[in-house]
Every structure is written in structure tokens, then in C-alpha cells.
Amino acid sequence: MADVPLYMAREGFGPAPEVTEIREEGKLAKVPVTFGSGEAWMVSRHADVREVLSDYSRFSNDFLGTEAGEDAAAHLSPEDWERMRKGQLLAFDPPEHAYLRRILTPEFTMRRMRRLEPRISEIVDEHLDNLERVGPGADLVAEFALPVPSLVICELLGVPYADRAEFQDRTSRQTDTSLPAQERAKLAGEGRAYMEGLVARAQTNPGEDMLGMLVREHGDELDADALTNIAGLLLTAGHETTANMLGIGTLALLQHPDQLEWLRANPDQIGPAVEELLRFLSVAHSGIPRVTKQDVRLGDQTIPAGSQVQFGLAAANRDPRFVDDPDRLDLTRKPTAHVAFGHGPHHCLGAPLARMEMTAAFPALLKRFPTLALGVPFEDVEFRPHHVVYGLAALPVTW
């Protein structure tokens, strides 16, 4: 099995001890790059992570436009390379990024998300019914954590829910860093072809979903390639992160029974509790790497111009200079400025949707199953260390 990159290294719910040690020594560690060849610098202190994420004048998000990015896509023709870059929200700096974000932001405002709240509650209840029908020993990941956000993002984007098994499997394998790069590239191509078909249908007959809205309101600005890339990103990000938070978040509560009982008794405090779970678990290991536009001094080290920078978000969210007693899950903790959704101009666009899904799902789960318990010994729970988004392969539960 392939080694886990250092910035993804975990032990249970937290970062691996060697990552914590690097953070406490104030070092910028060298790690193999995720894409292309060579090494990247890993930033793991909370203050340093926020500085890098907020400063696009020195740390560029335009990885695809760098020599390293081009090396990673050396198998593509110049025409395919240009098509792959169009509309890539995570691959541009302002002002190009600001333009794309401005188009999408109205669909992810809290006001717009509140309109979805009743439907999200229905979806949660439907899948709790499914979980109950399967009975004790059911896999909470397969029956609840994965299908809830998948159905929500499908309805939001206009993706046929009947296709969910196909795109869930493809996304899971595509984000598994233990698989050969060639296989993941093939999966990415299949995913792109699937989205191209959906975009073509939306351009012919735009519906009331987000893809239809983009075609109707921005069809003159966004061509099929840009729409394909935008929709592909939203589909992947829209179910992977929340699904993993629901699964591993439930496990964290089960392993901290005092916190679980507090939340069960105080469901109105689910908002701050979700923020603490996000900080404590940090399922997004790093996010998109940045590239230095110039020599940059960070702490007492210099990162040369043209270098890739990766983030140890799990370590940053447990930095004792940022939060007291960081390795303790405390749902009564005042919400912190965690970086689980990133920071700065690229702060996760879908954060309001993810929060709404979690604030609906966790209390409903605990209310439906007052005696919810882990169905296997904790040491038998299978984590997914090689995936770009950290989580669980399965979570058998009983009640």
C-alpha cells in the first residue's frame, strides 16, 4: 500500500504525532507533491496557514498555470489542457476567481440555503427510516452519511439521483491517493465525460436547478467546458466532505459519550457543536496547494519562489497557540476561527450548505436512536487514510 503523504497523516481523529511535532518545532516540512513531481512545503501552524490562505499576492492558487501543474498534465494536449482549466474555481486567483465566485455565491447564501431546509429535513428522515429498516448492525456510512448529502447535491445541481452509485464510486477512487496516478486520471476523464452529458442536456433544456440557472443566466459567459468543470467540482465537493463529516463525526460522538449525551440534551446548541466537530476532525487534509510567486519568509524559513505549499489543516486546527486544550472534543467550546473550510478568498463556497446538512442530521440521528452505539470494537473501524477527504470506509452501528 502506498505511503500516506505527511500532510494527510492521521492517528485516529487527529493528526499523526510526527505532524504535531513538526508544528510544535515551528518547522516547514518538505513533503512529496500531490500532483507532478518534486517536493512541497507543509505549513501546519494555525497562524501560518491563515496567512498563506489569505495572501494570494504571494501565494497563488493558480497551480494549473505553473510549470508543476503543466508537468502533472503532461499527457494532455494544449487544447485539452485549456479546456480543463476553464471555470476552475479553485485554480485561479482574483480577479478571475472573484468573477467565478460572484456567479455562484447567490446559490449558496444562507437565505437561499434556508429554502432548502425543509427538503433537507425530509431527506434526513427518509434515510433514518432506511437505517431503521436495515436494523442493528447497519452501516451508517452506506445507509445515512453518504446518501443524505449526495441526494441534496443531486437535487441542487440537477443530477439524476439514479446515477449516485456510479459517481460516488468514481469520486471515492479518484480521491484515493494510494491508486496509480494514471488510474485516477482515467477516472477523472470518465467523470468529466459524465458531466459533459449533463451540461449538454441542460443547455438544450435548462431546468430549475443550479445547472439550469447557470445556463439561463450565464450561458453567454460560460461555455460548455466551464460549466462542466464548475458542475464537476460542486458535485464532488458537495457530497464527499459532508458525507465524511457525518460518518466520522458520529464515531467521534460515540467515542466521547459525555459529549454525545450533552448534545442529546441540548439539541439547540447544534450550531456551535458542529463548529467544534469541524475543528476537531478537519476531514479536508489540505485543499488545493499554493505556489509562491516570490521568495517568502514564513517564520524563520524562506520558501523559494515557484515552490508548492501544502497545508496540515488537522494540525493547524489543533494548534495550542490557537485554542486551549486542542486535543479535547468540547462541544461547549465557543466557536473558533478554525480552517476546516479554508480561509480567505477561497473559503469553501458550500460551507453554508454543509453546516445546514450537519445541523439537521446529527440531532435527528440522536433523537431517532437514543441508544445508538458502535456495532464493532473501535479498533475494527476502518478509516480511509489515503483519501483526499478523511473519513471512514464503514461504520456499523447498533441501538
Side-chain angles (χ1 to χ4, degrees), residues 52 58 67 110 204 381:
V52 175
R58 294 185 298 160
E67 183 177 343
M110 279 309 299
T204 301
V381 175

Side-chain angles (χ1 to χ4, degrees), residues 101-248:
R101 193 176 180 102
R102 196 160 49 243
I103 289 174
L104 293 169
T105 294
E107 296 301 307
F108 288 96
T109 60
M110 279 309 299
R111 181 179 177 185
R112 187 69 60 91
M113 290 300 104
R114 289 201 205 294
R115 291 190 205 167
L116 292 173
E117 196 166 11
R119 180 58 183 139
I120 290 174
S121 294
E122 286 179 5
I123 291 170
V124 166
D125 287 341
E126 288 167 5
H127 287 85
L128 288 174
D129 291 343
N130 292 341
L131 189 65
E132 194 165 12
R133 273 193 292 270
V134 174
D139 176 9
L140 185 131
V141 170
E143 302 298 335
F144 183 70
L146 184 55
V148 166
S150 295
L151 181 51
V152 171
I153 198 63
C154 281
E155 291 195 3
L156 193 62
L157 272 177
V159 175
Y161 190 53
D163 296 344
R164 69 193 182 282
E166 179 186 348
F167 74 69
Q168 285 169 358
D169 176 67
R170 185 168 52 237
T171 300
S172 178
R173 289 186 293 139
Q174 187 182 337
T175 57
D176 184 349
T177 61
S178 69
L179 296 180
Q182 187 175 3
E183 182 176 344
R184 285 185 285 143
K186 180 176 179 291
L187 291 165
E190 292 172 358
R192 181 181 177 83
Y194 172 75
M195 293 311 304
E196 285 174 342
L198 292 181
V199 166
R201 289 197 289 275
Q203 287 177 316
T204 301
N205 185 24
E208 296 304 313
D209 49 73
M210 190 184 299
L211 196 50
M213 178 280 296
L214 289 172
V215 169
R216 283 194 309 275
E217 298 183 14
H218 303 283
D220 293 337
E221 309 159 73
L222 302 171
D223 65 11
D225 290 322
L227 289 167
T228 295
N229 291 332
I230 290 170
L233 171 63
L234 294 178
L235 179 63
T236 300
H239 78 273
E240 270 288 313
T241 48
T242 307
N244 282 289
M245 268 301 301
L246 290 176
I248 199 172

